[in-house]
Amino acid sequence: MEKPLLEFTDRGIYCPPADVYLDPWKPVDRALISHGHADHSRPGHGRYITHHRNVPIIRHRLGDIRVSGREWGESFTVNGVRFSFHPAGHIIGSSQIRAEYRGEVWVFSGDYKTEDDGLATPYEPVRCHSFITECTFGLPAFKWRPQAEVLGDINAWWARNREGGKTSVLLAYSLGKAQRLLAGLDPDIGRIYTHGAIENMTEVLRPLAGFPETTRVTGETTREELRGNLVLAPPSAHGSTWMRRMVPYEVAAASGWMAFRGARRRRAVDRGFVLSDHCDWQGLLDSIRATGAERVICTHGYAHIFSRFLAENGYDARTEETQYEGETPENDTQVVT
């Protein structure tokens, strides 16, 4: 092909033959959306197409929008380009987007992880010629432990705090990470309380997954009610007046960045649990090999380092700039209430 099927423009990833965009960051007429995080599903588009499990998520986040949902692997054609959504394993409803035109196949991964977390539909590699991959944790230093081990550590931390008469405050993104943690918390230890932003999103997702009972923290919730129990809150709540009622408490963060020494200190938390909704280094490499792609385009994260490694190992690899943020505190834009 003289021109690539997918191009990087100032509005987002563009498919010229179909005149559609994939996860655009500026308003467009028609947008294919990989998942519901704020950096990938933005307001202002004329029409949204996504996986049907993502429809209630982006309606909750974006309000009254024109959106249609598709099933995994369901093909639909736009101006001769055949598209389909495939599981990305990142969060509930997250997809890779496959585009095929005149025998050329591209896959845009969005954000993805290879470990089955029990909530998101597990990641499935999709064969293609060109693969667009995130590189949020594209360094060899990132190697994730199994989810069950990390959740065991979190429950043990909560139990110790309960014995010491402290409230356990666990920081996690309102969409995705919070529900993953919630599904793995042991309700036999105590009661699970939630910040309003997390409770609102969890209510949207309850029809799609099984979660233990939660209690919303309100203005009437007392310090004694919270003592010894666990509170799930977004990162934006940390250091706010909202947390005063938690005293005495210990605060922990669940993030892939907790693998770095100093990350816990910079975020001023007592504990850090390494748990990410993105691939680690080996997960990225294994995924790319499984696609059979010869051309790999690396986006947000450690894109330049990861791209250089791929090029040294025989891939046609390059980087492209996007406005995707990966796993950062700013990714969770919920307002503290």
Side-chain angles (χ1 to χ4, degrees):
M1 296 177 63
E2 293 184 1
K3 294 184 63 177
L5 179 57
L6 299 180
E7 301 177 350
F8 288 77
T9 73
D10 63 349
R11 308 195 77 80
I13 300 172
Y14 180 56
C15 180
D19 192 24
V20 301
Y21 288 82
L22 283 58
D23 287 3
W25 43 83
K26 291 183 180 179
V28 300
D29 177 61
R30 185 160 43 186
L32 275 59
I33 301 298
S34 68
H35 67 283
H37 279 146
D39 56 331
H40 288 260
S41 58
R42 302 181 186 239
H45 307 316
R47 288 168 286 177
Y48 297 74
I49 305 173
T50 190
H51 187 264
H52 68 82
R53 296 188 96 196
N54 191 39
V55 170
I57 295 172
I58 62 174
R59 277 196 169 134
H60 170 74
R61 286 197 53 252
L62 302 178
D64 186 17
I65 57 173
R66 292 178 60 190
V67 57
S68 60
R70 304 284 178 165
E71 187 51 88
W72 301 124
E74 176 188 349
S75 294
F76 58 99
T77 302
V78 182
N79 295 338
V81 181
R82 188 166 67 175
F83 294 98
S84 53
F85 294 99
H86 302 266
H90 176 55
I91 62 171
I92 291 177
S94 62
S95 304
Q96 303 170 82
I97 303 174
R98 181 185 186 273
E100 180 178 356
Y101 185 65
R102 296 179 179 176
E104 185 82 6
V105 179
W106 286 61
V107 170
F108 167 55
S109 68
D111 287 332
Y112 65 108
K113 74 172 183 295
T114 53
E115 182 180 27
D116 181 1
D117 64 12
L119 287 179
T121 304
Y123 172 85
E124 295 178 3
V126 181
R127 302 287 293 184
C128 59
H129 302 101
S130 301
F131 186 61
I132 302 173
T133 182
E134 60 141 311
C135 304
T136 304
F137 293 106
L139 288 179
F142 294 110
K143 180 176 175 58
W144 307 146
R145 293 169 58 212
Q147 171 178 282
E149 294 182 9
V150 180
L151 291 174
D153 290 346
I154 291 172
N155 283 316
W157 166 74
W158 174 17
R160 286 194 298 271
N161 286 339
R162 183 174 179 84
E163 290 176 1
K166 296 179 181 179
T167 300
S168 300
V169 181
L170 185 56
L171 305 177
Y173 298 147
S174 301
L175 169 59
K177 186 72 64 65
Q179 290 75 35
R180 184 180 177 188
L181 292 168
L182 183 56
L185 291 173
D186 182 0
D188 290 336
I189 298 173
R191 178 172 288 184
I192 302 169
Y193 285 84
T194 53
H195 182 282
I198 289 177
E199 186 64 24
N200 291 341
M201 183 57 71
T202 301
E203 288 176 352
V204 173
L205 296 174
R206 277 193 185 277
L208 305 177
F211 299 117
E213 181 182 354
T214 55
T215 302
R216 183 191 298 263
V217 176
T218 68
E220 286 71 46
T221 305
T222 66
R223 182 175 302 177
E224 287 307 313
E225 287 178 278
L226 295 171
R227 190 185 299 271
N229 295 310
L230 185 139
V231 180
L232 269 177
S236 54
H238 189 31
S240 70
T241 56
W242 181 84
M243 287 184 58
R244 289 178 182 172
R245 77 194 77 187
M246 316 294 170
V247 176
Y249 64 79
E250 280 198 13
V251 60
S255 168
W257 296 114
M258 293 297 109
F260 269 170
R261 291 182 179 179
R264 186 180 72 184
R265 183 179 64 255
R266 288 193 299 273
R267 298 192 184 191
V269 296
D270 300 301
R271 283 290 303 270
F273 297 104
V274 182
L275 190 70
S276 177
D277 292 330
H278 299 258
C279 287
D280 61 7
W281 169 265
Q282 194 60 49
L284 290 169
L285 293 177
D286 291 345
S287 299
I288 290 168
R289 291 192 191 103
T291 68
E294 298 176 355
R295 182 186 301 110
V296 182
I297 301 171
C298 302
T299 66
H300 55 299
Y302 290 98
H304 292 284
I305 295 172
F306 192 69
S307 174
R308 188 182 313 125
F309 178 85
L310 292 177
E312 291 171 353
N313 284 271
Y315 288 92
D316 175 8
R318 72 173 194 269
T319 63
E320 288 285 355
E321 295 297 320
T322 69
Q323 292 188 19
Y324 310 134
E325 297 172 354
E327 188 166 308
T328 68
E330 291 73 24
N331 192 298
D332 194 309
T333 57
Q334 298 288 354
V335 176
V336 176
T337 57

